[in-house]
Structure formats: C-alpha cells, structure tokens
Amino acid sequence: MDITMTILGMAVITFLVKALIFILGDRVAFSVNVKKALDFVPVTVLTAIIVPMILSPHGKGLELSWHNPQLVAASVAALLCAVTRHQLLTIITGLVVFFFWQFVLS
C-alpha cells in the first residue's frame, strides 16, 4: 500500500508541475540568473544517472579497477572527447571499447 501511495503521489506532483507550466506558459518570466541555472539541468541530471552506472555497475560498491568495462570505456571516451570534441566519434569509440573490453574479460 505504501508503494502504491508513493507512486500515486509522485504522479500527482508530476502532473501538477507540468500542468502549471502548460497553463501559465509565457506569463511567467524567469530572471537571467534562473535561465542560466536552468541551462545546467540536463547536464547535471545526465551526470547523476551515468556516474553511478560507471563507478558501481553492479550496485555493490565502487569498482575502480581495469576489470570494470564501463569505467574503461568512459575514461577512453572522456579523453577522446576532450581532445577531439567530436561527439559521434566519442560515442562510437566508447561503445567499441566497452564491448571489446567486456569480450576480453569474459
């Protein structure tokens, strides 16, 4: 019952937030500082999702070793992105390194 109430509560809150944004639309003007802060939301949310998956892929504590294919691939991808700034190349290289490293370890 608690889980059901939690899910329903989250659904109501999400609906209300989205409904308010839809109803108010352009009538609400954000300050320059708020707009600047909102620009960072996608980056921070993505980081909050990805970093735990890289550092603790099995959910049993940090796996900071070369036996962690997620960590190896993410490190190579981050380095490549810093050097080249080429997104597609970074994604492809990260995937290739991940699957290769996973194949080598198994």
Side-chain angles (χ1 to χ4, degrees), residues 49-98:
I49 292 170
I50 291 175
V51 168
M53 292 171 53
I54 293 170
L55 299 180
S56 180
H58 299 102
K60 298 178 184 172
L62 293 177
E63 294 183 28
L64 303 176
S65 73
W66 292 106
H67 298 288
N68 179 352
Q70 288 90 332
L71 181 60
V72 174
S75 300
V76 170
L79 181 63
L80 181 66
C81 183
V83 171
T84 66
R85 301 276 187 200
H86 194 276
Q87 292 177 354
L88 185 60
L89 179 64
T90 300
I91 292 168
I92 292 170
T93 303
L95 287 171
V96 168
V97 169
F98 171 75

Side-chain angles (χ1 to χ4, degrees), residues 38-50:
L38 288 175
D39 286 341
F40 290 101
V41 170
V43 173
T44 55
V45 169
L46 189 60
T47 302
I49 292 170
I50 291 175

Side-chain angles (χ1 to χ4, degrees), residues 1-23:
M1 184 67 177
D2 289 340
I3 294 174
T4 304
M5 294 305 292
T6 302
I7 292 171
L8 287 174
M10 290 188 306
V12 168
I13 290 170
T14 301
F15 177 78
L16 289 176
V17 168
K18 292 183 185 273
L20 281 174
I21 290 171
F22 182 72
I23 291 168

